[in-house]
Amino acid sequence: MRKLFYIVQKEFIQIFRNKAILPLMTVVPIMQLIVLSFAASNEVRNVQLAIVDQDNSEYSRLITSKIKNSDRFILMDNPPSVKLADGMMQSGNADIILTIPPQFEKNFFKNKTGEIQLLVNAINGQQATVGAAYLAQIIQSFNQEIRLDAVPQLAVMKQFSSPQLRIENSNWYNPDLSYKDFMVPGILGELATLLVMLLTAMNIVREREIGTIEQINVTPIKKWQFILGKMIPFLFIGMFLLTVGMIAGKLIFDIPIVGSLWVIFAYCLLNLTAVLGIGLFISNLADTQQQAMFITFFFAIIFILMCGLFTPIESMPKMAQYFTIPNPIAHFVHVMRSVLLKGSEFSDVAYNFKVTAVLAVVFNSLAILSYRKVS
Amino acid sequence: MNAIEIKNINKSFGDTQAVSDINFSVKKGELFGLIGPDGAGKSTLFKILTTLLIPDEGNATVSGFDTVKDYKRIRKIIGYMPGKFSLYQDLSVQENLNFFATIFGTTIEKNYHLIKDIYVQLEPFKNRRAGKLSGGMKQKLALCCALIHEPEVLFLDEPTTGVDAVSRAEFWEMLKRLKAHGITILVSTPYMDEASLCERIALIQEGKILQIDTPQNITNSYSKPLFEIKSHDFYQLLKDLREEPFTERVEPFGEYLHLTTNSDISSNSISEILEKKGHTQIEINQAIASIEDVFLDLM
C-alpha cells in the first residue's frame, strides 16, 4: 500500500513539474469547450441567396421582401438572368438561387398555380437541406396568404370545410431547442475522455523512451501496483476537468442541471477507468511517444465521429450503430445529456453503466496483460 | 555457492547472435569485469542476468536463483545500473532516492551506511532535478539508487562511459569500498585500462568469451615479443613497420607504437632497419603487455 502511495505521489510530482502538460490539462480543454460550444453550431444561418426575378410583379416583390426579412438569409444580389445567377453559385457567392419565372403572377391568377424554381448548392449537405427547408417554409406561408388574398371565396370555403388535423410540436427537455444546452454536456464528456486517453497513452511510452522503465522493471514492483499507480493520478485529473468544465458550463452557458450530479460523477469515474485502460493498452503497444500519439489519434477520430455528439447515433446505419457500443465517448455523451437535460435517474442510464463497466474490465485486462516486465 | 553462475547462455535477435555459449561464474564478493568493445554483447548478458531478457538457451543463476524461474526473488536482491541513465530526470536527487528506497520496501536511513560515502558528494545538490546533474553526478546518483536496498549482487553496465577521467577514478574507488561490504559486483566497460582494477575479468567479443582470468594472469599470458617504439615521424613509422616482414601487429598506443613480432628479432636490428628508412630519434624498448594488447591479439 505504501508503495502504491509512493508511485501515485511520484506521478503527481512529475505531472505538476511538467510545464507543458499542466496548462494542457486545464486551460486548453476549457477553451475548447467555449470555442466549440459557440462555433460548432448545427443551426443554419447566413445562407447566401440570389433571387432571379423575371416577373417583377407585385407578388414576386412580396416574396423577395419576405425572404429579406428572415435573418437566416442574406440576399446577395438580384441578377437579371439565370445565367448570371449560375455564375454566382459557381464562384461560391450564392448557396441557393430562387428563380421566379416571367408571368408568375399572371399564371397564378389565370391557372391558379404558380411555379418557382429553387437551385440549391448541395456541397454542404446540411446547409443545403436546412436552408432549402427554411425557404420552402417562407414560400409556403406566402402561398397561404396570397390564396386568401386572391381568391376570397376560399376563405369562406375554409370555414365550412371538413375539420383538418393540425400538428403542433413541443420540444421536451430542451424547449427552446437551445443548441448550447445540447452541445455543452456532450462536449464536456468528450473532452474529459479524450484528454485522459491521450495523457495515459503517452505515459508508459514516455518511461520506455527515456529508459526509466528498465530501472523500474528490475524492482520488485508488482504489475498491478505499477498500473494502478499510473491510473489513479489520471482519474483525479479527469474528474477535476469534469468539475471545472461543469462549473464553466454553468457560468458561461447556463446549462441546465436537472438530474443528479452524483450520477454524472459516478459515471465519469467509471468511464474514465475504461478510457484509462485503452490509454494504457496503447502505451504498452507503442515503442515511442510518436507511435502512441498516432494510435490514439486513430481511435480518437473514430470515437468522436461516432459518439453521437455531432450526428445522432439513431440515424447511422445499423452496422455502424453496433460499433458505437464499445465507444466510451458515445455512452458518456448520452449519459451527460440524459442526466443534465432530462433528469434521468441512475436506473434510466443503468444500461450505459453496465456496458461501460464491461468495457472497463476488458480494456484494463488488456492493459495489464500487455504490460511485460520482461522483453 | 557462486554469486553468479552462467551456463551455455545463447541469445539472438533475429539473425544477430548477441551472445553465444557464454559460460562463467562470479564468486561471492568478487569484483568481476566484463571487458569488450561496443556491441560485444555485454548489455545483453546484463539484461539476461537482471531478468529483463529471457535467454534462448542455457540458464543462469544469481545468488542461487534461476533468472527465469525465480525472477521475482532475484529482483529483490540485485541492484542494476543500466548503461543509459534511467532515473527520473524530472525528480530531484532526494525524490529519486526516496522513490527507489520505497519501492524496495526500505528507507534511506536504514541503508545510509552503504551510500554514505557517495551521498555526501550528492548532498549539496539534493534538491536539484536529476536531469540537471553533471554526468559524473548522475552516475553517483544511479549507483546510490541501485544500492539503496542493500543488494547482494550489483550489476553495473558501463557505469563510466561518458564520464570524465577524475570521476571515473573516483567511481572505481567507490566500487572497491563497496566490495568491502561484501557486495558482489559485475561491471562492464569498454575501457581496457579499467580492466586492471577488477579482480577477475572476462574478455568478450562478438558475443563470445575470449578469456577469463585475473588481469595479471591475462597480461602475463602474452607470450609474443612486444616492443614499444617511437621516432620523429610517428605516422611514417607506423606505415613502415606495417610493411616489415617481422611485424605481426603494430598499433598506436599512447605516445608509442606497440609492435608484436613473429620472430626473435632484437631491438637493435629493428632500430637499424628503421634508420635505413630515414627515421631519427628512434626509441625502442621491450614492453610489458597490457590488457589491450592481449585483446587485440585474441581478436
Side-chain angles (χ1 to χ4, degrees), chain A residues 7-15 203 207 229-230 233-234:
Chain A
I7 301 171
V8 172
Q9 189 192 36
K10 180 217 97 183
E11 289 296 327
F12 269 120
I13 293 177
Q14 285 186 302
I15 290 166
N203 193 281
E207 294 226 9
K230 294 275 176 198
F234 290 113

Side-chain angles (χ1 to χ4, degrees), chain B residues 70-106:
Chain B
D70 299 322
Y71 70 95
K72 282 186 181 158
R73 305 282 288 275
I74 291 183
R75 283 175 185 170
K76 287 197 180 108
I77 54 160
I78 59 165
Y80 173 44
M81 190 173 147
K84 193 177 154 201
F85 182 70
S86 309
L87 300 177
Y88 291 101
Q89 313 242 6
D90 43 2
L91 294 187
S92 71
V93 169
Q94 183 82 30
E95 285 161 346
N96 263 304
L97 206 51
N98 238 326
F99 177 72
F100 283 100
T102 313
I103 58 178
F104 276 104
T106 178

Side-chain angles (χ1 to χ4, degrees), chain A residues 229-296:
Chain A
K230 294 275 176 198
M231 282 174 77
I232 293 171
F234 290 113
L235 268 181
F236 269 102
I237 288 164
M239 298 299 276
F240 172 75
L241 185 71
L242 183 80
T243 316
V244 175
M246 293 277 279
I247 294 169
K250 186 77 204 161
L251 291 181
I252 302 170
F253 300 107
D254 194 28
I255 49 164
I257 301 178
V258 181
S260 151
L261 282 178
W262 289 111
V263 177
I264 292 282
F265 278 94
Y267 182 76
C268 180
L269 201 63
L270 184 62
N271 188 286
L272 290 181
T273 313
V275 173
L276 276 164
I278 302 179
L280 290 174
F281 181 53
I282 293 174
S283 210
N284 287 337
L285 292 186
D287 289 324
T288 61
Q289 294 193 61
Q290 203 177 29
Q291 284 175 10
M293 194 106 129
F294 275 109
I295 304 175
T296 314

Side-chain angles (χ1 to χ4, degrees), chain B residues 221-227 248-249 259-262 287 289 297:
Chain B
S221 72
Y222 195 79
S223 52
K224 292 166 187 162
L226 183 74
F227 299 95
E248 184 176 311
R249 203 182 56 250
L259 170 76
T260 309
T261 58
N262 50 19
D297 188 51

Side-chain angles (χ1 to χ4, degrees), chain B residues 94-147:
Chain B
Q94 183 82 30
E95 285 161 346
N96 263 304
L97 206 51
N98 238 326
F99 177 72
F100 283 100
T102 313
I103 58 178
F104 276 104
T106 178
T107 56
I108 298 179
E109 293 75 37
K110 223 178 193 170
N111 291 310
Y112 189 71
H113 63 280
L114 264 179
I115 59 164
K116 199 177 117 204
D117 294 337
I118 316 164
Y119 191 67
V120 286
Q121 302 179 45
L122 280 168
E123 199 133 35
F125 312 104
K126 68 177 183 187
N127 292 320
R128 191 181 286 190
R129 309 251 168 105
K132 297 249 189 312
L133 291 174
S134 67
M137 283 294 173
K138 275 184 183 165
Q139 300 305 87
K140 280 171 198 156
L141 175 59
L143 184 62
C144 278
C145 288
L147 278 171

Side-chain angles (χ1 to χ4, degrees), chain B residues 154-173:
Chain B
L154 194 56
F155 293 92
L156 308 170
D157 192 3
E158 300 201 7
T160 53
T161 302
V163 175
D164 68 81
V166 179
S167 296
R168 268 169 62 187
E170 273 178 17
F171 198 87
W172 280 93
E173 274 306 307

Side-chain angles (χ1 to χ4, degrees), chain A residues 78-118:
Chain A
N78 280 311
S81 76
V82 178
K83 209 169 183 178
L84 281 173
D86 284 349
M88 283 179 72
M89 189 177 276
Q90 191 75 47
S91 61
N93 288 325
D95 299 318
I96 299 181
I97 304 169
L98 178 74
T99 313
I100 305 170
Q103 331 261 287
F104 168 70
E105 198 185 67
K106 218 181 210 172
N107 279 340
F108 181 75
F109 282 112
K110 216 162 76 196
N111 309 331
K112 302 280 179 272
T113 60
E115 280 180 347
I116 284 178
Q117 187 191 35
L118 274 185

